[in-house]
Amino acid sequence: MSKVTTSTLFKFKQEGKKFSALTAYDSSFASAFDQEGIDVLLVGDSLGMVIQGKKDTIPVSVEDVAYHVQCVSNSVERTLLIADMPFMSYATPEQTMENAATLMRAGASMVKLEGGHWLLESISMLTERGIPVCAHLGLTPQSVNVFGGFKIQGRDEENAKRILEEAKAVEKAGAQLLVLECIPANLAKTITEALTIPVIGIGAGKDTDGQILVMHDILGISSSYIPRFSKNYLAQTGEVREAVKAFITEVADGTFPADEHTFN
Ligand code: KIV
């Protein structure tokens, strides 16, 4: 199987082939996910919650993410590996370059940043300097304290319009991938159709180009609760590799996400 790159994901979008992504934080799971055919792995700052047991992603550092990127990259052969830039590690363009370089040196092939208009300069600068960018809009968990909780975004017209505009702007600035988290399915569909770059959804309905879930959620072992937009595939299959295969199959054939995993 050939290595998944940003070009592969562009091709998938053009061909209408739905692709799958999972978070991963260690070598053993990453290796199994890679072997079973997951297209994208994200070392998410969700590690603050599922690995470190924190209540949100705010305490995660660049060193934390870099450590887990090293663990994962040691075992990944085919999958595109994305590293999350944690809270306040990209507050200024200079800081962004430095910290993104650290994550790329640790083994990532792309970095992910949460935000829209305020990030455009950093997105251009990273891309021009050889660091591919995945943007992240909608429920951006690093802004949980601004949102006043983990709340669905883009339900009102003004916010929906802003998210659509920001999606177009991050693409124009050079982002090569976009994650949309917890927004109404019709808004995610509009954005996916409006953009040339591939869009990955989590709690964003079935019409995005790809789907991403947190690995602990698909294995039903999250410390607190399994979010409504996720699905426990281990309960359905009884084996970790079978769970991953079932997720990949259901994303590819459009069975996941179903209406029960979707927000309106
Ligand atoms: O940190 C993370 O795991 C993420 C995904 C939920 C998209 O950002």
Side-chain angles (χ1 to χ4, degrees), residues 42-57:
L42 168 71
V43 176
D45 61 354
S46 50
L47 70 86
M49 298 165 89
V50 297
I51 304 287
Q52 299 174 336
K54 303 275 174 28
K55 71 176 189 336
D56 55 38
T57 60

Side-chain angles (χ1 to χ4, degrees), residues 139-166:
L139 200 186
T140 44
Q142 291 168 22
S143 299
V144 60
N145 293 308
V146 175
F147 296 147
F150 292 98
K151 294 178 180 164
I152 313 304
Q153 300 296 307
R155 273 191 160 141
D156 61 286
E157 208 176 309
E158 190 186 334
N159 269 311
K161 192 163 166 273
R162 180 186 48 77
I163 295 171
L164 173 60
E165 277 167 7
E166 291 194 315

Side-chain angles (χ1 to χ4, degrees), residues 23 25 42 44-46 84 112 114 136 179 181 202 212 214:
T23 63
Y25 316 92
L42 168 71
D45 61 354
S46 50
D84 235 347
K112 178 166 81 59
E114 298 181 5
H136 184 159
V179 167
E181 179 162 353
I202 174 164
I212 184 163
V214 171

Side-chain angles (χ1 to χ4, degrees), residues 1-78:
M1 277 191 282
S2 53
K3 175 103 186 119
V4 177
T5 64
T6 49
S7 311
T8 318
L9 301 183
F10 268 93
K11 192 159 160 278
F12 287 167
K13 177 168 183 137
Q14 281 161 357
E15 293 170 350
K17 179 179 181 298
K18 302 268 182 195
F19 60 90
S20 47
L22 279 175
T23 63
Y25 316 92
D26 72 35
S27 164
S28 303
F29 280 108
S31 174
F33 299 167
D34 185 58
Q35 287 164 10
E36 297 310 329
I38 279 285
D39 298 303
V40 176
L41 285 178
L42 168 71
V43 176
D45 61 354
S46 50
L47 70 86
M49 298 165 89
V50 297
I51 304 287
Q52 299 174 336
K54 303 275 174 28
K55 71 176 189 336
D56 55 38
T57 60
I58 304 298
V60 176
S61 68
V62 175
E63 290 70 29
D64 292 337
V65 179
Y67 171 75
H68 289 281
V69 168
Q70 278 171 22
C71 297
V72 168
S73 70
N74 287 340
S75 303
V76 167
E77 285 174 12
R78 174 182 169 273

Side-chain angles (χ1 to χ4, degrees), residues 39 75 78 90 94 118 121 190 193 206 218 229 237:
D39 298 303
S75 303
R78 174 182 169 273
Y90 50 101
E94 292 68 29
W118 70 274
E121 186 188 356
T190 304
E193 288 170 356
K206 63 176 174 44
I218 75 155
F229 56 76
T237 58

